[in-house]
Amino acid sequence: MTKRFLPLLAFLALAGCSGPNNKAEIKLATPSPQQIDFMNNEIGAFFHFTTNTFTGAEHGDGTATPADFNPTKLDVDQWMEAAKSLGAKYAVLTARHEDGFCLWPTQLTEYCIRNTPYKDGKGDIVGELAAACKKYGIKFGFYYSHAFDWEHPDAPGNDWDYPTNPGGDKLVGGKNWWLERKDFLANAEKYVNEKSIPQIQELIRKYDPDILWFDTPQKLPLYLNIRILEAIRQADPQNKIVVNGRLARFGSNNIGDYRNTGDRSAFFFPTEGAWESIPTTNESYGYSVVDTVRKPVSFFVQLLPSATSKGGNILMNVGPMGNGRWDKRDIEVFQGIGQWLKVNGESIYGAQRTNLPIQPWGVTTLKGDTLYAHVFHWPADGKLIIGGLRSDIGKGWLVADKKAAIRFKRLNADDYELTLPANAPDSMNSVIALVLN
């Protein structure tokens, strides 16, 4: 399958996009085979882990001390075994979240794992996970908060310790603060040039990631986001690294290798090009002792093909506990999805969107000449209508039982009727394979 990528970089001639005093032409890049392969992965695992896991806060705010961070039972093999059981093909770790705390022994700040009790200051969770990903055959990536760094006085966003800083909830200087607070541009440039870019390059150099994941591009002026993207491409001349769509954005355009849609979605609107969404097992990104209810496996085995049917991936989010291990309820969700994929994975991995209209019983995916009908609502009368299918069906069967042939007949130029067994093979999502002539 080949999904159409957004341009990695756009030709930007907008005033102010390249800096306050100059303009630059940003060259268009061609998607590499690695980037196209990445979007065929379909499902990944996202690990949110930082200081707020230990303080009980919903989000870290840069005030937690390194002494708070000590996941004494952390075992990246447990993380990877859970990701493998899910069927994940890539994994992303919050190497540095918005609080600014770094999960690797960076040389660019003291606010990092090097100054924690974890492994007597000799720990490196980014390095441990990167090695584990290679061991388990899973692509590795990291999340880096390039705009927010709440422990740094020159980064936007922290308006509680630095009341005059723009970019936070108080909207000091307005939503587009760089238009009203030009005096702070020098601070933001200093932060980007002296910390954000050097740390990203340090991570690339040390850990050779397959993907870089960013967020909140609206907190920096576009020219600084573009500067960061240029630095990434310079550090990756082979164009191997896939960059998500939240590093740089102007208008409705994300400048990256794919789009990111809304978080924790239960429904996907049609989205042009390749894209990714981030569901959570509960309603939190980091671990929460009060957020105890997990979504059922059925929710995700319907959400995943819904994303595939519209050209997207899903990146399943989990927050490990403070001791560094996973809550067994999250493992059970991952294992449940993975068990469904073991039977029905051919309808997801490498599959793509279809142009069929919305079906009342579920969704459809396509791989080669095989159309897969994901039936969420099994018809009580055994008759399933596939609307808008003008191609002819050659043969059909249940994916869960390839010996169970499906009878079919054309009703008119647009619709087929399938005759199904009385009982659904899977109460969550039964898949029917139809070879098209």
Side-chain angles (χ1 to χ4, degrees):
M1 173 190 65
T2 300
K3 297 177 180 177
R4 189 161 66 84
F5 279 80
L6 296 177
L8 307 182
L9 300 174
F11 287 105
L12 298 178
L14 303 175
C17 285
S18 301
N21 302 312
N22 64 296
K23 300 177 182 179
E25 183 182 80
I26 308 301
K27 294 183 178 180
L28 201 68
T30 301
S32 68
Q34 293 95 330
Q35 291 163 330
I36 295 172
D37 177 67
F38 168 79
M39 288 311 299
N40 285 332
N41 292 324
E42 309 295 351
I43 186 169
F46 202 179
F47 311 133
H48 267 73
F49 195 57
T50 186
T51 56
N52 66 298
T53 305
F54 300 85
T55 63
E58 183 177 2
H59 301 287
D61 61 6
T63 59
T65 69
D68 295 326
F69 189 90
N70 191 19
T72 54
K73 296 182 179 179
L74 189 147
D75 180 3
V76 293
D77 280 313
Q78 189 216 28
W79 295 21
M80 285 294 98
E81 286 167 4
K84 199 74 175 179
S85 74
L86 169 70
K89 301 299 183 182
Y90 63 107
V92 178
L93 170 69
T94 52
R96 196 194 86 180
H97 208 262
E98 296 167 346
D99 59 357
F101 182 77
C102 301
L103 297 184
W104 79 101
T106 178
Q107 299 303 308
L108 292 156
T109 181
E110 295 301 308
Y111 197 49
C112 71
I113 200 169
R114 180 164 38 84
N115 293 308
T116 71
Y118 177 62
K119 293 189 175 180
D120 296 323
K122 297 180 174 61
D124 180 357
I125 296 176
V126 177
E128 291 174 35
L129 194 68
C133 281
K134 289 183 180 178
K135 174 181 174 181
Y136 287 86
I138 293 175
K139 292 181 173 64
F140 169 70
F142 60 79
Y143 168 116
Y144 182 90
S145 177
H146 71 294
F148 276 151
D149 184 346
W150 290 334
E151 66 92 25
H152 198 288
D154 290 321
N158 184 345
D159 52 20
W160 52 94
D161 291 324
Y162 311 104
T164 62
N165 276 24
D169 291 339
K170 296 177 183 177
L171 294 179
V172 176
K175 184 177 179 180
N176 297 325
W177 62 261
W178 47 91
L179 300 179
E180 299 295 329
R181 288 291 310 279
K182 291 183 172 62
D183 60 298
F184 196 78
L185 282 172
N187 300 69
E189 288 188 0
K190 184 177 189 300
Y191 158 70
V192 166
N193 293 336
E194 296 181 9
K195 188 176 183 184
S196 187
I197 287 176
Q199 280 196 328
I200 294 168
Q201 292 175 328
E202 181 183 44
L203 284 162
I204 293 172
R205 185 172 62 253
K206 290 186 68 172
Y207 305 112
D208 189 29
D210 300 293
I211 177 173
L212 302 188
W213 216 99
F214 300 93
D215 206 0
T216 65
Q218 71 276 11
K219 299 301 180 179
L220 282 176
L222 180 59
Y223 78 91
L224 288 180
N225 291 328
I226 293 294
R227 185 176 297 177
I228 293 169
L229 185 54
E230 288 177 322
I232 292 168
R233 296 310 185 200
Q234 289 167 3
D236 176 37
Q238 295 183 337
N239 204 27
K240 180 182 81 73
I241 298 173
V242 176
V243 178
N244 80 324
R246 294 185 184 179
L247 171 56
R249 180 187 299 140
F250 66 100
S252 62
N253 298 291
N254 292 321
I255 306 172
D257 297 317
Y258 61 90
R259 292 182 186 271
N260 288 98
T261 61
D263 299 347
R264 293 181 295 201
S265 297
F267 175 82
F268 304 120
F269 290 97
T271 300
E272 183 181 1
W275 55 273
E276 175 191 72
S277 186
I278 319 161
T280 53
T281 55
N282 50 11
E283 293 301 329
S284 303
Y285 289 103
Y287 184 75
S288 171
V289 295
V290 298
D291 189 359
T292 60
V293 178
R294 267 52 180 182
K295 301 181 183 84
V297 171
S298 59
F299 174 83
F300 297 107
V301 300
Q302 294 180 9
L303 189 74
L304 174 57
S306 296
T308 304
S309 72
K310 295 177 180 176
N313 287 10
I314 67 169
L315 184 59
M316 285 287 300
N317 179 84
V318 163
M321 298 184 293
N323 63 9
R325 296 186 67 80
W326 280 34
D327 189 306
K328 65 178 183 180
R329 292 168 295 186
D330 296 318
I331 294 175
E332 288 169 357
V333 170
F334 271 45
Q335 289 175 340
I337 300 168
Q339 288 167 4
W340 181 87
L341 278 168
K342 284 180 181 178
V343 176
N344 301 288
E346 68 179 74
S347 67
I348 299 295
Y349 297 116
Q352 62 179 309
R353 72 180 79 219
T354 72
N355 60 1
L356 292 180
I358 294 174
Q359 309 291 327
W361 41 260
V363 299
T364 57
T365 60
L366 181 69
K367 184 160 65 176
D369 61 358
T370 302
L371 180 74
Y372 294 95
H374 295 260
V375 186
F376 306 156
H377 309 292
W378 198 257
D381 63 359
K383 304 299 182 183
L384 187 82
I385 306 300
I386 299 183
L389 181 58
R390 296 181 177 178
S391 298
D392 291 329
I393 298 174
K395 58 181 178 178
W397 62 90
L398 294 175
V399 171
D401 181 4
K402 292 180 171 52
K403 294 180 180 179
I406 296 296
R407 291 185 290 123
F408 51 86
K409 67 177 181 180
R410 180 171 285 287
L411 298 178
N412 52 54
D414 292 329
D415 305 323
Y416 262 98
E417 179 185 89
L418 309 185
T419 300
L420 306 183
N423 298 316
D426 191 309
S427 62
M428 301 181 295
N429 177 1
S430 297
V431 186
I432 301 166
L434 302 167
V435 176
L436 305 179
N437 293 332

